[in-house]
């Protein structure tokens, strides 16, 4: 009982004690509500609007997201309750002047130290996920992704396979499932953003910088990707797709692509032209 | 004066600490230089105030028990009205327009600016109009 | 003749000035009175808010339906660039440190004017000409700047963005940048040198304290932006290659420079509003600021940390030290949290009066809480990777800036009567508040979800995407409500024009500005009370109710009745 009281401003008039204690308990009960609700929900923590992720690291990012959100709901909830309580409980009724209390050092220290602890906890959780995400594990598959105004070029080194697409035809980056896929991201003009929503991940494609990261997809499927960094007139149209397929499908796809490229190279005297199209800027009035 | 000095010196010290950690951790140049300059920018006026705060009596505004009478006397000189800020502003405007539309705009730009600087200085000496 | 201010004879001198000073347009052009300049700043920044708001409504109109072609993609790029630029550079910044600060800071510390009145006037002219310069981009061939308000290199170089619009953007920013620097110098000097006797540093009102830290941040940050802009201009026109790979430059350098200014800028916009809200909450709760010293400590900490967090805007470049910037950014949440709880503590056991100003301050509290909490996500690199440059970020910073706008509106309702002598209508004010408050939530919440569902920012058209459609509709509804609230504000000004005389102290204020007349005389005071706490006017009006136990408050030394 006296513990509870330490949080209140000091020097309460004696007759106020019981009423205020009751009130304070009520506040605590209200604050406990969201926690209880979450405990009840148990294993089915809601997604809070985010995508659960289709790669291993995007799943950890999703967990982190849920953790942060639960924390935010608790902290935000308590704060909102306090605001609403203060506003309605202490709304002006007459012309009296309230007690002019200004400091309560233990209370102030409490709400300095608790946030510091929360922040350090969030930072620790962040570090764990971040290290997982930026790790560079051993990989068998490498894809060079190159962004240009306004499209993407995916090159499979050593395979004679290149996929290019811009504005109206979205290119498709094919990659195998359950396999560490190493991406080398570059840009040939301005800054672009390589963003795959289902992978909960984005990274800038910077001119003059090689950015590298690894995806390990856990489900097959086709996912939308889009440029997220403003790159000029047709930024809105810089879509691509990521197609995650099984290992055998992947090998087949690579073969057929390579064969097609070779055939094209043979049939046309203009070697290389089909596989690595020099990107041209669309002209004004692109639909 | 003492508190003003302390504020700037502690900000500067904090930036110093921060830039040390940052530099040894990242070896990144641009940010380190900018933070370092931020530190200097705090130390420069901070040490000036500190220097003077040790050599002068607390001013009436630093004295918690000062009465309004203890501040009596000249606070400063304040011009009532002046056209020169406007003139200088227009000069700067034309100088910037010269960056965009052609170098010839520097003629009115610098002209107005010099006129304003001379006029403003003279007004400051003379104690301008109201 | 130059005015020599010595308090006992202020009144006679000033009677004289008010009769003979210029009026009308000449007053506007030549005044060096901080109140007149502050008023010019206020009006100009509100005009900028209306312009930026009009762009915002057009943006939302375009985004209401998929594959819309209300505006072309080229126009859309200009629209959001100029919306962001106008709002940040021309509205919120000058409003925060030029408008109310200019009027209120000298009065709150008992000063007759700013330390450098003519420099102050110059600041205003640079701001106005800068605004005209930037906006005139719409009238040149090729249109206004279209590289986003952050002008990332190399998109902003002369190859990718030729045309005068971009140069006008740079030029306008150079002018407003110098304007800000001069204001920073002025505020710092005023606070350091022109305080009234007894107004020690730790008796300054929180608003003044916040303005001091803001001014110091301006001095630390703005020169960096100005330098960066000059480099950008040289890259565009003098063949240097500072930001271009081709000549051996580094594009990311621009981002480092820009955000080294840009993050402190966030606090340059926010700290003044924190100060405004602090004053409003204390006055309308009839209590001193809870944890006054802790509040100051929090402000200084925010200022100090804000110089070391810039690269949290660059997590996805893959070129920055993630843990350093992550922990520094997370740490800023701590002083911000202290402020939040101090605000609540100020209301606790108070007598809360729901005036429009107070409602706006409460709207600020809640909206800023949302913006602050979502900011914590963005300080965590893995979470930033998946929300960066999506509508989640747009929603986050709109929660913040709309909160700032509410705080600023509250401050106009609170201090407007002091500046003009007339109150605004409270009924219309409350309508404005509810539209703004509800509109903001209706506008931002769908945008958070849009971001989580993968909608990137700065896209002028988007395909028909089942998860996005309803959300975009709601965001537009919110935007319309916010627009209507601004209309309410303008209507209120016209409706209340010179209708409700305010008197000197309509809210039972705490600080020195409520001790003088509304509007204050030429050099602000006919008399000053004894200053024994950070609430001299309150101490004077309510002897026996001071928060500080010691000292004799309420003694007036320079007795002189105000001249009407
Ligand atoms: C009427 C209320 C407002 C509405 C409806 C609104 C709407 C929007 C929208 C939809 C965007 C995203 C454009 C895009 O990414 O395609 C945007 C961007 C932005 N807004 Fe607002 N906004 C409002 C008020 C404000 C205020 C008050 C500020 C600042 C004080 C502000 C600052 C910005 C900035 C800096 C951007 C980023 C521009 C860029 O991406 O370059 N907005 N706004
Ligand atoms: Cu793009
Ligand atoms: Cu920031």
């Amino acid at each position: 009982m006296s513990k509870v009281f330490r949080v209140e401003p000091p020097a309460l008039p004696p007759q106020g004690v019981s009423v205020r204690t009751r009130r304070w308990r009520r506040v605590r009960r209200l604050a406990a509500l969201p926690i209880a609700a979450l405990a009840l929900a148990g294993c089915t923590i809601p997604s809070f609007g985010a995508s659960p992720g289709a790669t291993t690291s995007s799943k950890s990012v999703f967990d982190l997201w849920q953790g942060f959100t639960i924390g935010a709901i608790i902290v935000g909830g308590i704060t909102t309750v306090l605001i609403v309580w203060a506003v309605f409980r202490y709304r002006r009724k007459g012309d009296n002047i309230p007690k002019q209390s200004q400091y309560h050092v233990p209370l102030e220290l409490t709400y300095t130290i608790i946030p510091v602890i929360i922040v350090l906890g969030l930072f620790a959780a962040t570090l764990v996920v971040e290290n997982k995400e930026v790790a560079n594990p051993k990989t068998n598959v490498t894809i060079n992704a190159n962004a240009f105004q306004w499209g993407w070029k995916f090159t499979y080194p050593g395979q004679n396979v290149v996929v290019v697409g811009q504005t109206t035809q979205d290119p498709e980056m094919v990659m195998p499932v359950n396999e560490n896929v190493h991406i080398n991201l570059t840009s040939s003009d301005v800054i672009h953003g390589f963003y795959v929503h289902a992978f909960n991940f984005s990274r800038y494609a910077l001119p003059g910088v090689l950015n590298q990261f690894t995806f390990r997809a856990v489900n097959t499927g086709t996912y939308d990707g889009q440029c997220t960094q403003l790159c000029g007139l047709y930024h809105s149209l810089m879509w691509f797709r990521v197609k995650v397929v099984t290992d055998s499908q992947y090998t087949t796809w690579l073969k057929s692509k390579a064969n097609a490229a070779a055939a094209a190279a043979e049939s046309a005297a203009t070697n290389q032209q089909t596989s690595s199209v020099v990107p041209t800027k669309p002209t004004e009035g692109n639909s | 004066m003492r508190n003003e000095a302390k504020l700037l010196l502690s900000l500067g010290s904090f930036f110093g600490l921060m830039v040390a950690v940052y530099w040894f951790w990242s070896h990144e140049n641009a940010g380190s230089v900018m933070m370092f300059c931020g530190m200097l920018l705090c130390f420069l006026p901070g040490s000036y105030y500190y220097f003077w705060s040790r050599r002068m009596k607390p001013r009436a505004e630093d004295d918690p028990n000062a009465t309004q009478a203890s501040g009596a006397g000249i606070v400063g000189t304040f011009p009532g009205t002046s056209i020169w800020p406007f003139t200088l502003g227009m000069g700067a405007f034309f100088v910037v327009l010269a960056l965009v539309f052609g170098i010839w705009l520097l003629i009115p730009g610098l002209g107005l600016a010099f006129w304003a600087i001379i006029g403003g200085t003279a007004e400051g000496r003379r104690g301008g109009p109201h | 003749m130059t005015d020599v201010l010595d308090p006992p004879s202020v009144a006679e001198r000033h009677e004289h000035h008010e009769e003979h000073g210029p009026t009308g347009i000449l007053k506007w052009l030549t005044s060096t009175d901080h109140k007149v300049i502050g008023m010019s700043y206020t009006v100009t920044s509100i005009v900028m808010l209306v312009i930026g708001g009009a762009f915002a409504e057009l943006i939302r109109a375009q985004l209401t339906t998929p594959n819309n072609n209300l505006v072309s993609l080229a126009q859309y790029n200009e629209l959001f660039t100029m919306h962001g630029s106008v709002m940040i550079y021309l509205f919120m910044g000058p409003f925060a440190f030029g408008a109310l600060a200019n009027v209120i800071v000298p009065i709150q510390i008992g000063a007759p004017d700013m330390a450098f009145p003519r420099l102050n006037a110059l600041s205003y002219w640079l701001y106005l000409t800068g605004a005209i310069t930037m906006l005139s981009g719409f009238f040149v061939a090729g249109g206004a700047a279209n590289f986003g308000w952050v002008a990332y290199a190399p998109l902003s170089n002369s190859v990718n963005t030729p045309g005068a619009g971009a140069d006008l953007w740079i030029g306008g920013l150079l002018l407003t940048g110098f304007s800000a620097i001069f204001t920073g110098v002025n505020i710092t000097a005023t606070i350091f040198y022109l305080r009234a006797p007894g107004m020690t540093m730790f008796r300054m009102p929180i608003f003044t304290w916040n303005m001091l830290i803001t001014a110091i941040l301006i001095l630390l940050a703005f020169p960096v932006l100005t330098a960066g802009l000059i480099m950008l201009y040289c890259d565009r026109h003098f063949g240097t290659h500072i930001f271009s790979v081709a000549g051996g430059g580094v594009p990311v350098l621009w981002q480092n420079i820009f955000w080294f200014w840009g993050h402190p800028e966030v606090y340059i916009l926010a700290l003044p509003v924190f100060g405004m809200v602090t004053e409003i909450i204390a006055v309308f709760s009839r209590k001193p600021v809870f944890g006054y010293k802790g509040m100051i400590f929090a402000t200084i900490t925010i200022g100090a940390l804000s110089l070391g967090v810039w690269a949290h805007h660059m997590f996805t470049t893959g070129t920055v030290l993630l843990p350093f910037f992550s922990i520094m950014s997370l740490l800023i949440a701590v002083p911000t949290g202290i402020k939040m709880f101090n605000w609540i503590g100020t209301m606790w056991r108070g007598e809360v009066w729901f005036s429009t100003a107070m409602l706006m301050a409460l709207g600020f509290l809640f909206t800023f809480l949302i913006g602050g909490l979502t900011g914590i996500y963005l300080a965590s690199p893995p979470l930033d990777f998946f929300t960066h440059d999506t509508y989640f970020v747009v929603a986050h910073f709109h929660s913040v800036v709309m909160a700032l706008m509410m705080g600023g509106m509250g401050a106009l309702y609170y201090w407007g009567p002091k500046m003009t002598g007339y109150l605004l209508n409270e009924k219309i004010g409350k309508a404005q508040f509810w539209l703004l408050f509800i509109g903001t939530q209706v506008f931002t919440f769908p945008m958070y979800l849009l971001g989580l569902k993968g909608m990137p920012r700065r896209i002028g058209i988007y395909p028909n995407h089942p998860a996005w459609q309803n959300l975009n509709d709601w965001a537009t509804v919110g935007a319309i409500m916010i627009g209507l609230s601004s209309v309410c504000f303008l209507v209120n000004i016209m409706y209340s024009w010179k209708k409700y005389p305010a008197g000197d102290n309509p809210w039972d204020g705490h600080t020195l500005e409520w001790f003088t007349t509304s509007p204050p005389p030429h050099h602000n005071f006919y008399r000053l009370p004894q200053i024994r706490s950070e609430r001299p006017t309150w101490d004077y009006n309510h002897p026996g109710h001071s928060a500080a136990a010691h000292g004799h408050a309420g003694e007036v030394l320079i007795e002189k009745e105000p001249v009407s």
Side-chain angles (χ1 to χ4, degrees):
Chain A
M1 196 60 60
S2 60
K3 264 270 156 53
V4 174
F5 252 96
R6 295 301 303 268
V7 190
E8 294 276 83
L12 294 170
Q15 74 274 25
V17 170
S18 62
V19 181
R20 288 195 165 115
T21 323
R22 240 185 290 133
R23 205 179 289 139
W24 181 240
R25 282 218 208 92
R26 218 183 310 145
V27 174
R28 282 201 309 170
R29 225 175 300 137
L30 272 182
L33 267 181
I35 310 172
L38 279 170
L40 277 182
C43 42
T44 56
I45 304 173
S47 72
F48 304 112
S51 129
T55 60
T56 45
S57 55
S58 63
K59 290 214 173 296
S60 341
V61 173
F62 179 69
D63 294 341
L64 188 67
W65 156 262
Q66 287 179 320
F68 265 59
T69 308
I70 292 168
I73 289 176
I74 294 173
V75 174
I78 292 177
T79 316
T80 309
V81 167
L82 286 176
I83 295 175
V84 171
W85 174 263
V87 166
F88 286 105
R89 171 63 187 78
Y90 302 115
R91 67 186 178 281
R92 191 169 295 188
K93 296 186 195 89
D95 198 31
N96 29 348
I97 293 179
K99 196 166 164 299
Q100 301 294 300
S101 54
Q102 187 163 32
Y103 294 103
H104 190 290
V105 176
L107 179 60
E108 288 174 62
L109 280 180
T110 313
Y111 60 65
T112 309
I113 292 168
I114 292 180
V116 171
I117 295 171
I118 297 179
V119 155
L120 290 179
L122 295 178
F123 183 57
T126 294
L127 277 187
V128 172
V129 178
E130 180 187 305
N131 289 341
K132 223 185 270 180
E133 211 173 11
V134 299
N136 252 328
K138 238 180 64 103
T139 50
N140 303 322
V141 181
T142 301
I143 303 174
N144 294 338
N146 174 258
F148 57 89
Q149 282 171 320
W150 286 273
W152 302 90
K153 184 169 89 177
F154 301 107
T155 316
Y156 294 72
Q159 310 282 355
N160 192 22
V161 174
V162 176
V163 183
V164 192
Q166 47 183 303
T167 54
T168 41
Q169 353 83 263
D170 311 333
E172 199 165 75
M173 181 178 103
V174 180
M175 59 180 263
V177 71
N178 288 328
E179 189 89 64
N180 291 338
V181 179
H182 185 89
I183 314 272
N184 292 317
L185 181 64
T186 54
S187 161
S188 22
D189 36 55
V190 300
I191 301 174
H192 302 268
F194 178 93
Y195 170 62
V196 184
H197 172 236
F199 291 1
N200 287 343
F201 184 83
S202 74
R203 182 57 62 88
Y204 282 176
L206 289 161
V209 173
L210 172 65
N211 261 325
Q212 315 186 43
F213 43 87
T214 308
F215 289 138
R216 187 184 178 90
V218 290
N219 305 317
T220 55
T222 306
Y223 307 105
D224 284 333
Q226 188 170 6
C227 175
T228 45
Q229 179 55 47
L230 176 67
C231 52
L233 187 56
Y234 294 105
H235 164 62
S236 315
L237 306 173
M238 244 179 96
W239 290 80
F240 61 96
R241 277 189 303 276
V242 176
K243 190 170 179 187
V244 180
V245 296
T246 61
D247 239 341
S248 57
Q249 283 170 323
Y250 177 67
T251 342
T252 326
W253 178 82
L254 270 186
K255 275 222 189 76
S256 71
K257 269 288 188 185
N259 288 343
E266 260 168 48
S267 70
T270 50
N271 193 14
Q272 291 259 322
Q273 278 292 311
T274 34
S275 49
S276 71
V277 179
V278 180
T280 48
K281 297 187 181 184
T283 43
E284 194 66 50
N286 182 304
S287 63
Chain B
M1 217 70 278
R2 184 73 45 97
N3 280 331
E4 286 87 335
K6 270 194 212 153
L7 172 68
L8 288 169
L9 290 179
S10 45
L11 275 177
S13 313
F14 182 81
F15 296 150
L17 194 75
M18 204 156 68
V19 71
V21 172
Y22 182 65
W23 168 252
F24 285 109
W25 195 354
S26 74
H27 289 283
E28 190 262 316
N29 297 332
S32 302
V33 169
M34 288 187 286
M35 271 202 263
F36 188 76
C37 292
M39 178 192 81
L40 292 184
L41 203 64
C42 289
F43 276 147
L44 188 73
S47 38
Y48 171 83
Y49 290 141
Y50 185 71
F51 179 85
W52 281 109
S53 71
R54 294 174 59 98
R55 280 166 186 72
M56 63 192 244
K57 285 195 307 227
R59 304 167 300 170
E61 57 260 50
D62 299 327
D63 173 8
N65 295 315
T67 59
Q68 291 306 332
S70 60
I74 295 171
V75 175
T77 53
F78 297 93
T81 58
S82 171
I83 191 65
W84 300 117
F86 175 73
T87 318
L88 188 53
M90 288 303 125
F93 186 33
F94 279 109
V95 169
V96 161
L97 291 183
L99 291 177
V100 183
F101 294 116
I103 207 80
W104 60 273
L105 281 162
L106 278 181
I107 299 169
L110 293 179
L112 281 170
F114 278 122
W115 189 28
I117 287 167
I118 292 166
T121 313
E123 178 189 66
R125 293 247 176 98
R126 210 177 50 234
H130 260 313
Chain C
M1 207 198 72
T2 299
D3 216 301
V4 177
L5 193 82
D6 58 353
S9 58
V10 183
E12 296 101 48
R13 286 170 175 277
H14 289 302
E15 212 180 341
H16 162 84
H17 297 155
E18 253 132 30
E19 276 166 18
H20 295 283
T23 51
I25 184 130
L26 205 61
K27 177 173 167 192
W28 181 57
L29 289 181
T30 64
S31 180
T32 55
D33 181 343
H34 71 106
K35 295 180 291 295
V36 178
I37 298 170
M39 203 63 197
S40 309
Y41 257 110
T42 310
V43 173
T44 312
S45 58
I46 299 286
V47 171
M48 292 304 145
L49 170 64
V50 172
I51 295 175
F55 295 160
E57 300 300 331
L58 266 174
I59 291 175
R60 280 315 321 170
Q62 164 72 9
L63 293 180
T64 308
T65 48
N67 297 316
N68 198 354
N69 52 11
L70 178 73
V71 296
S72 72
L73 286 181
Q75 284 164 334
Y76 187 82
N77 285 357
E78 288 174 40
L79 272 181
F80 70 72
T81 300
M82 292 311 278
H83 163 68
S85 304
V86 168
M87 286 297 198
I88 298 282
Y89 302 118
L90 304 182
F91 160 59
M92 203 61 223
F95 181 83
F97 55 72
L100 293 168
N102 225 324
V103 183
I104 300 302
V105 166
I107 313 185
Q108 277 195 333
I109 58 174
D113 201 320
M114 284 287 214
F116 310 114
R118 290 187 297 176
L119 188 65
N120 198 15
L122 177 61
S123 285
Y124 174 70
W125 296 115
L126 293 182
Y127 162 45
L128 184 67
T129 51
I132 293 170
T133 308
M134 191 187 284
L135 283 169
S136 60
F138 281 107
F139 305 107
V140 297
N146 57 8
F147 37 49
W149 77 284
V150 297
Y152 274 4
L155 182 62
S156 52
N157 68 16
S158 54
V159 179
N160 290 301
T161 315
D167 290 320
L168 286 167
W169 185 90
I170 295 173
L173 267 191
L174 282 173
L175 288 169
T176 52
F178 276 108
S179 153
I181 292 172
F182 295 155
T183 304
V185 170
N186 227 329
I187 292 176
T188 316
T190 308
I191 293 177
F192 279 0
Y193 284 103
L194 288 183
R195 303 196 305 273
M199 178 61 79
T200 61
M201 288 290 272
F202 285 96
R203 281 183 190 161
M204 298 194 310
I206 293 290
F207 178 65
T208 297
W209 254 109
N210 282 20
M211 284 318 303
L212 173 60
I213 304 299
T214 304
I216 293 175
L217 282 181
I218 289 176
L219 295 180
L220 288 166
F222 265 90
V224 176
L225 176 69
T226 306
L229 288 169
I230 292 172
M231 294 183 216
L232 183 60
Y233 186 85
C234 290
D235 263 15
R236 288 173 62 85
H237 294 286
F238 299 146
T240 59
H241 291 282
I242 303 171
F243 303 125
S244 65
V245 183
V250 185
V252 177
L253 178 62
W254 167 260
Q255 296 185 32
N256 272 305
I257 292 176
F258 183 86
W259 290 114
F260 192 85
W261 162 82
H263 194 85
E265 164 77 357
V266 173
Y267 288 100
I268 291 168
L269 307 183
L271 288 180
V273 178
F274 292 177
M276 298 170 193
V277 169
T278 311
E279 304 279 306
I280 292 173
I281 290 181
V283 166
F284 290 100
S285 305
R286 290 205 146 171
K287 278 186 61 203
V289 175
F290 184 73
Y292 170 80
K293 293 221 170 102
M295 208 72 156
I296 294 170
F297 167 77
T299 306
I300 297 175
T301 316
I302 290 178
L305 286 171
S306 73
L307 221 63
V309 299
W310 75 92
H312 63 207
H313 299 271
M314 301 162 59
F315 282 151
T316 58
T317 59
T319 63
V320 299
L321 184 63
L322 300 180
F324 179 83
F325 291 107
S326 172
I327 185 67
M328 295 295 279
S329 310
L330 285 169
L331 279 177
I332 285 201
V334 176
T336 315
I338 296 178
K339 279 180 175 292
M340 183 59 79
F341 290 117
N342 280 342
W343 286 321
I344 298 173
T346 306
M347 294 189 288
W348 208 259
R349 304 246 161 107
E351 292 277 325
V352 180
W353 171 11
F354 298 116
S355 66
T356 305
M358 184 65 181
L359 285 177
M360 290 282 184
L362 292 171
F364 164 90
L365 284 196
F366 180 74
T367 314
F368 190 76
L369 176 66
I370 310 265
L373 287 172
T374 51
I376 293 178
Y377 289 85
L378 300 173
S380 167
L383 296 178
D384 181 69
F385 290 167
F386 99 87
T387 49
H388 183 76
D389 274 341
T390 68
Y391 262 87
F392 188 87
V393 169
V394 178
H396 152 68
F397 70 72
H398 278 86
S399 282
V400 173
V401 293
M402 295 313 295
L404 298 184
M405 208 174 119
M406 281 178 222
M409 281 293 165
L412 284 177
Y413 277 86
Y414 174 64
W415 278 315
K418 179 52 65 182
M419 292 156 75
T420 61
Y422 294 94
L423 296 158
L424 286 166
N425 183 295
E426 284 281 307
K427 280 224 176 70
I428 307 181
K430 282 175 183 162
Q432 182 198 348
F433 165 74
W434 286 111
L435 278 170
L436 182 57
F437 180 70
I438 297 174
T440 297
Q441 318 310 334
V442 173
F443 168 59
T444 52
F445 272 93
M447 293 207 300
Y448 284 114
L449 289 173
L450 274 174
L452 295 173
K453 305 217 172 303
M455 178 155 164
R457 70 193 278 202
R458 294 169 173 166
I459 56 171
I461 60 174
Y462 55 91
N464 204 338
H465 192 305
W468 294 357
Q469 193 43 57
N470 280 332
L471 296 171
N472 270 310
D473 291 342
W474 280 110
T476 303
V477 170
I480 292 171
M481 292 174 74
I482 298 170
L484 287 178
S485 88
S486 304
V487 173
C488 277
F489 180 62
L490 300 180
V491 167
N492 199 352
I493 292 177
M494 285 187 271
Y495 179 81
S496 316
W497 193 258
K498 304 214 165 165
K499 223 181 225 164
Y500 315 105
D504 292 352
N505 189 2
W507 320 116
D508 195 3
H510 296 173
T511 40
L512 278 182
E513 72 270 28
W514 304 108
F515 198 80
T516 183
T517 54
S518 308
H522 186 52
H523 278 161
N524 297 344
F525 293 99
Y526 298 111
R527 51 175 198 162
L528 280 169
Q530 202 70 280
I531 297 163
R532 286 296 173 267
S533 78
E534 81 277 6
R535 299 191 300 165
T537 305
W538 171 274
D539 292 342
Y540 178 77
N541 288 331
H542 303 280
H545 286 285
S546 51
H550 50 82
H552 291 276
E555 188 188 341
V556 172
L557 281 197
I558 316 156
E559 274 291 3
K560 215 155 246 167
E561 278 315 301
V563 207
S564 60

